[in-house]
Amino acid sequence: MPQPNEACSRWLPAAAAARLAQNENIHSLTQLADFINRHGQRWWSQIPRLGQTSATEIQAFFADHAEVLGLRLDLARKSPARPPVTVGSSDIAPIERFRPPEHLSGQSGSNRAPVARCLLDAGNDFEAILAWLSLYDAGTPTHRTYRKEIERFLLWAIFERGKAISSLTTPDCAEFRRFLEDPQPAERWIGPSGQRWSPQWKPFKGPLKPSSARQAEIILSACCDWLVGQRYLDSNPFAGLSKRGYGRRQGTDRLLSPPLWDYLIGFAERQANNSATPDNKRADHRRTLFILRFAYLTGLRLHELTKARIGDLERLTGYDGDQWWLNVVGKGKVHRQVPIAPQLIDEINAHLRDRQLKSIGYAAPNTPIVGKLRNRLRDAPDDAQSAVFLSESALYQKLKAFFEAAADDIGPTDPVAADKIRRASTHCYAIRMVATPFTKGFRWKSCGTISATKTSPLPRFMYIPIKTRGTKPYWECQVIKALLGGCCIVEATAFGR
């Protein structure tokens, strides 16, 4: 039986125990209980790379051994114990707390356009950057990514080049390109993931991969183009950079073949139907299986999966019967309708039953389609809890954990397939790569944005109603990707009539 002063590594999963020791110097069960009681309900968010699933398992361990350990957990909601934040730091700090020195503010940058012609209400580089970021909704993946890249660029310009952004030249940008490959000095720039308010925060976790460096350059060049268009900068210093190869692009090698996808679905079904597994674990596995199928048949992005609500479902009656649709507001706040197969409606209702909720038509409109199993939502429309969604981070960690488990399962017999599964991107969790010929006359119903100019090579889903017997169509899920300005068709599967 566990004892209070025993090591966490003896009783907890090895990965979780290692993160506790590495990030918070927590080694014993008593130390861990004290840490949880100080931080309350979301204690795990203070520890980088420790997700909610691991936290739930740890809490269950303490609950199961409460009498033996004599330790009680206080999981009440508490405000994070944040250190005093210095507003206006001139040292390495996140952009919301950083203020550049006056002589490097960019008020008189050498690449500034004439001030009288500037269209922005910005007197320096910092204000101009914030104006650019304000174009994107705070808290969205796009805003976070753009903030991260411009933040790194601003800090590098100040601390490594001793220049304002509006004084940087093309040779400076070439040096920044090299810097991304190896941010030095490491003690200044590199550190583990952490909260942005933490004094230990660092801009990098390590050198960037070629694909990440390419994305950073594209984003920063787009920012400078915008500032030129607003007549804040005279020219874009990135425009003069030489063309550069970034190695093999990483998108298409993460696609899953049909046999591998079938294996993943079979693995998820075995987990969900394992009678030796406790009921709560089987419910969790059923949710994972539902998420995989829901993503597969809709092609929604990760954040779109978490935002989908029961009220977004709409049933329309046509000449050939009823058809369910899901209203989605996606990237760039663009609205589209995604066709929902009858079998998927049945699976959504089954998932609602697992959460002890009523079926479609009776559940509250703001109930998330993909929801939490614990702290189940009530059906009352005025229940504030019904608006609580599964976070993108939690969904991502859930899927990554599933793929890791599937890779471990197949690894002993097929290590190549295991490696493929581990490298699978969350953008491609629902993709089957079976080439099919392009057929004229298809009427496309897009489930996402396709553009040959996008930075990512990953495919998106599209749906095609194909005329079969008579005039009755059925929906076939198709995946396409931009290829040299054209389209390469990749088939998924037919899922209903």
Side-chain angles (χ1 to χ4, degrees):
M1 299 298 287
Q3 298 300 313
N5 293 323
E6 284 190 300
C8 294
S9 56
R10 181 175 179 182
W11 296 99
L12 303 180
R19 288 171 186 140
L20 292 169
Q22 179 182 358
N23 295 294
E24 295 292 338
N25 198 29
I26 296 173
H27 298 281
S28 72
L29 296 174
T30 299
Q31 289 176 323
L32 176 55
D34 290 342
F35 180 87
I36 293 173
N37 291 337
R38 284 199 308 273
H39 294 280
Q41 185 182 40
R42 290 181 56 82
W43 62 271
W44 50 271
S45 65
Q46 311 297 314
I47 302 172
R49 300 182 63 200
L50 185 71
Q52 189 172 11
T53 300
S54 296
T56 301
E57 292 176 356
I58 291 171
Q59 291 164 200
F61 168 81
F62 277 99
D64 292 342
H65 300 90
E67 293 185 5
V68 176
L69 292 172
L71 299 173
R72 296 290 187 272
L73 300 185
D74 178 8
L75 297 175
R77 185 182 296 273
K78 298 179 182 179
S79 300
R82 303 184 180 186
V85 174
T86 303
V87 178
S89 171
S90 59
D91 200 355
I92 294 287
I95 195 169
E96 61 268 20
R97 292 197 286 117
F98 179 72
R99 295 297 179 271
E102 187 66 27
H103 67 288
L104 297 176
S105 66
Q107 286 183 328
S108 55
S110 58
N111 190 30
R112 286 285 301 270
V115 175
R117 299 177 61 240
C118 183
L119 302 178
L120 295 177
D121 184 18
N124 55 49
D125 295 351
F126 188 79
E127 293 174 355
I129 287 170
L130 294 183
W132 176 66
L133 286 175
S134 71
L135 301 177
Y136 308 96
D137 292 338
T140 62
T142 298
H143 184 274
R144 289 194 294 267
T145 300
Y146 287 14
R147 180 186 62 187
K148 174 182 66 179
E149 301 303 348
I150 197 65
E151 183 174 69
R152 290 170 171 174
F153 190 47
L154 173 66
L155 294 172
W156 172 84
I158 299 293
F159 290 99
E160 298 299 329
R161 303 302 278 181
K163 290 184 175 183
I165 283 182
S166 58
S167 294
L168 293 176
T169 62
T170 298
D172 290 323
C173 292
E175 185 60 33
F176 180 69
R177 175 189 273 178
R178 289 185 283 271
F179 170 79
L180 294 178
E181 297 173 353
D182 186 20
Q184 294 294 332
E187 60 273 13
R188 170 183 283 177
W189 295 103
I190 299 175
S193 299
Q195 301 290 344
R196 292 178 63 81
W197 47 260
S198 170
Q200 283 73 46
W201 178 89
K202 299 293 182 186
F204 294 87
K205 291 188 288 186
L208 296 192
K209 296 178 181 178
S211 58
S212 298
R214 176 180 181 273
Q215 183 187 37
E217 191 173 312
I218 290 173
I219 291 171
L220 294 173
S221 182
C223 173
C224 291
D225 275 339
W226 185 81
L227 292 175
V228 170
Q230 297 297 311
R231 299 175 186 171
Y232 180 84
L233 291 182
D234 187 62
S235 63
N236 179 358
F238 285 94
L241 286 179
S242 61
K243 297 276 186 179
R244 181 178 182 179
Y246 285 88
R248 183 168 61 94
R249 299 183 76 175
Q250 298 297 311
T252 54
D253 70 337
R254 297 185 182 184
L255 299 176
L256 300 174
S257 65
L260 205 51
W261 177 254
D262 290 340
Y263 160 76
L264 289 171
I265 292 297
F267 177 72
E269 288 175 342
R270 290 197 304 274
Q271 284 187 317
N273 298 323
N274 186 354
S275 59
T277 304
D279 290 344
N280 61 331
K281 281 288 186 182
R282 284 210 306 275
D284 190 44
H285 294 321
R286 286 196 298 272
R287 180 179 65 167
T288 300
L289 178 61
F290 166 72
I291 291 170
L292 292 171
R293 287 174 169 162
F294 185 56
Y296 179 81
L297 294 176
T298 61
L300 298 186
R301 298 178 177 92
L302 196 67
H303 72 278
E304 293 169 347
L305 288 171
T306 62
K307 297 295 189 294
R309 299 179 299 178
I310 294 298
D312 296 329
L313 291 167
E314 182 179 11
R315 183 167 61 182
L316 300 178
T317 301
Y319 69 94
D320 57 348
D322 291 345
Q323 170 65 49
W324 282 95
W325 297 83
L326 178 67
N327 292 288
V328 180
V329 178
K331 203 170 183 179
K333 293 188 175 180
V334 176
H335 172 264
R336 67 183 189 276
Q337 285 189 314
V338 178
I340 301 296
Q343 73 181 65
L344 192 53
I345 293 295
D346 294 339
E347 294 190 25
I348 291 173
N349 282 328
H351 179 53
L352 291 173
R353 286 195 297 272
D354 267 342
R355 292 153 58 193
Q356 297 183 358
L357 296 176
K358 297 176 182 178
S359 60
I360 296 171
Y362 299 95
N366 58 351
T367 301
I369 292 178
V370 178
K372 298 180 180 180
L373 297 177
R374 293 179 176 84
N375 299 323
R376 293 181 174 86
L377 308 178
R378 294 188 293 272
D379 285 323
D382 58 349
D383 177 20
Q385 289 296 315
S386 60
V388 177
F389 296 92
L390 191 68
S391 70
E392 289 178 48
S393 175
L395 179 55
Y396 174 82
Q397 294 299 332
K398 168 62 65 178
L399 291 175
K400 289 298 287 185
F402 167 78
F403 273 58
E404 284 291 336
D408 291 341
D409 180 72
I410 201 175
T413 57
D414 193 343
V416 175
D419 180 64
K420 187 82 170 177
I421 290 172
R422 287 192 175 95
R423 288 186 290 111
S425 164
T426 50
H427 286 281
C428 307
Y429 278 156
I431 292 172
R432 298 180 62 181
M433 256 185 105
V434 182
T436 58
F438 188 91
T439 304
K440 292 182 179 179
F442 285 168
R443 180 167 58 88
W444 302 94
K445 190 72 181 180
S446 174
C447 277
T449 303
I450 299 290
S451 171
T453 63
K454 293 291 183 184
T455 60
S456 171
L458 299 177
R460 298 303 309 159
F461 287 87
M462 303 192 79
Y463 290 79
I464 307 170
I466 303 175
K467 297 294 183 182
T468 54
R469 299 183 183 89
T471 58
K472 187 173 183 178
Y474 73 94
W475 289 102
E476 181 173 288
C477 175
Q478 298 280 350
V479 184
I480 75 172
K481 66 176 181 177
L483 182 64
L484 299 177
C487 288
C488 170
I489 305 301
V490 181
E491 181 264 351
T493 184
F495 63 78
R497 290 178 180 268

